[in-house]
Amino acid sequence: KHSKRLAALMITYPSTYGKYERGVDKVCDLIHEHGGQVYMDGANMNAQLGLCSPGAIGADVCHLNLHKTFAIPHGGGGPGVGSIGVAEHLAPFLP
């Protein structure tokens, strides 16, 4: 119904509370099936290490925000400071 208007989905995984929701990969697949991209908030990379991968989940873009990963003040160095990873199809658009 909304495929023509779908641009992207932003997801925080694991959730802000550190919970791994089931079926996130299926949600990402559904977004891709309808032409959208998935942007993943990677603020809590400590929770991901060894347990999951943004690429395996289906994220097209993921940023590493340091405020949870390294316990620095939120916005330390600016909001979203840290690396940004993208899927191969988006690599040509990186600076």
Side-chain angles (χ1 to χ4, degrees):
K1 178 180 176 181
H2 299 288
S3 293
K4 292 180 182 177
R5 296 178 45 192
L6 176 65
L9 168 76
M10 191 232 175
I11 188 167
T12 299
Y13 192 79
S15 72
T16 300
Y17 305 107
K19 182 173 171 139
Y20 290 89
E21 305 290 346
R22 293 182 184 180
V24 169
D25 55 340
K26 290 175 181 38
V27 171
C28 293
D29 289 344
L30 183 63
I31 296 299
H32 291 139
E33 285 173 25
H34 292 275
Q37 301 285 307
V38 178
Y39 178 87
M40 184 174 162
D41 175 351
N44 197 356
M45 281 293 181
N46 286 335
Q48 289 189 26
L49 289 175
L51 297 176
C52 64
S53 153
I57 292 166
D60 297 294
V61 178
C62 182
H63 78 274
L64 171 60
N65 194 325
L66 303 178
H67 71 278
K68 291 181 183 172
T69 304
F70 296 110
I72 66 169
H74 192 270
V81 67
S83 59
I84 297 174
V86 300
E88 190 173 334
H89 68 281
L90 295 175
F93 300 99
L94 293 175

